[in-house]
Amino acid sequence: QAQLVQSGAEVKKPGASVKVSCKTSGYTFINYGISWVRQAPGQGLEWMGWISAYNGDTYYAQNLQGRVTMTTDTSTTTAYMELRSLTSDDTALYYCARDPGVTGSTYHMDVWGKGTTVIVSS
Amino acid sequence: QSVLTQAPSASGTPGQRVTISCSGSSSNIGSNYVYWYQQLPGTAPKLLIYRNNQRPSGVPDRFSGSKSGTSASLAISGLRSEDEADYYCAAWDDSLSACVFGPGTKVTVL
């Protein structure tokens, strides 16, 4: 069965960068995309963007444009999300989720990772 | 401030029917599919309803979705204690070129 395993928790200082990984298994990686969603403590869900594992096309949320980069490695069936210039507002639980879209996000997120905690603190 | 609106909370007793609403606009719900996600305490979200009213395999038929114009609803019939969770609607917003989530509705079983 499809599974997404995310990297461990991170603590970063303001201004630093973080790169979260999402190792997939149990399905054909390039037939899907990966969406990234974050959730600040006690808050709701925020869609960050999507990447096609087929051709690397990306869509990013406007408020994160210029600070976020999503990539994939088809040889290891792993997706990555890098967020730069971190502030305390980026403290959140970051989820990756499988998305059937290969040419655009369908936001049909049917398999989720358990989440990666990122804490930004001086 | 989310572009989709949901009531912050809803409640019911076991066996009751609870309905959660999600209100949007012509650029999101009015022109795109609505999805619903369930988030049990301390866990990752789970896809509950897709394409307005379709249930993934394994989701009980107690859960049903509907959409009319720029609003959508999720109904939970035969409410059970394990349904206590946060429920989020989601839709693509053509103006933002992004997926947007509602703020979530916390369902409590009394």
Side-chain angles (χ1 to χ4, degrees):
Chain A
Q1 69 282 17
Q3 195 173 5
L4 280 60
V5 177
Q6 297 186 227
S7 49
E10 303 263 14
V11 179
K12 296 292 183 180
K13 294 209 183 301
S17 300
V18 68
K19 191 170 186 176
V20 178
S21 67
C22 174
K23 167 67 178 168
T24 74
S25 61
Y27 70 95
T28 302
F29 185 63
I30 60 171
N31 286 354
Y32 290 82
I34 295 288
S35 281
W36 290 87
V37 174
R38 69 178 178 177
Q39 186 170 35
Q43 302 301 307
L45 304 175
E46 178 188 8
W47 184 81
M48 301 178 67
W50 162 92
I51 181 167
S52 169
Y54 175 72
N55 59 13
D57 282 353
T58 53
Y59 275 91
Y60 298 140
Q62 288 179 2
N63 64 320
L64 296 174
Q65 287 270 6
R67 283 207 305 135
V68 66
T69 300
M70 297 175 188
T71 57
T72 59
D73 183 338
T74 56
S75 67
T76 60
T77 66
T78 302
Y80 299 90
M81 186 284 299
E82 181 180 32
L83 190 60
R84 300 176 292 280
S85 302
L86 293 169
T87 72
S88 58
D89 289 343
D90 296 313
T91 293
L93 187 54
Y94 288 75
Y95 293 104
C96 61
R98 190 178 74 166
D99 183 325
V102 290
T103 58
S105 175
T106 64
Y107 56 103
H108 180 125
M109 292 168 275
D110 63 349
V111 182
W112 292 67
K114 292 189 187 304
T116 296
T117 296
V118 175
I119 296 171
V120 183
S121 173
S122 55
Chain B
Q1 201 87 355
S2 176
V3 298
L4 302 181
T5 304
Q6 294 181 246
S9 63
S11 62
T13 56
Q16 273 191 328
R17 176 184 173 92
V18 169
T19 300
I20 300 165
S21 296
C22 176
S23 179
S25 69
S26 58
S27 66
N28 41 68
I29 293 178
S31 52
N32 294 292
Y33 291 121
V34 176
Y35 283 64
W36 290 91
Y37 292 89
Q38 176 195 56
Q39 187 175 34
L40 297 170
T43 70
K46 169 189 169 184
L47 178 63
L48 197 65
I49 296 288
Y50 66 98
R51 293 192 173 190
N52 302 333
N53 55 18
Q54 302 299 302
R55 280 186 310 276
S57 61
V59 172
D61 59 7
R62 302 185 295 104
F63 295 92
S64 62
S66 63
K67 174 183 138 173
S68 178
T70 59
S71 293
S73 295
L74 173 71
I76 310 173
S77 59
L79 193 65
R80 303 174 69 157
S81 57
E82 58 259 40
D83 298 332
E84 276 208 345
D86 293 319
Y87 292 84
Y88 296 91
C89 58
W92 188 261
D93 189 286
D94 293 330
S95 298
L96 298 173
S97 293
C99 169
V100 290
F101 285 98
T105 296
K106 184 176 185 62
V107 169
T108 302
V109 181
L110 301 170

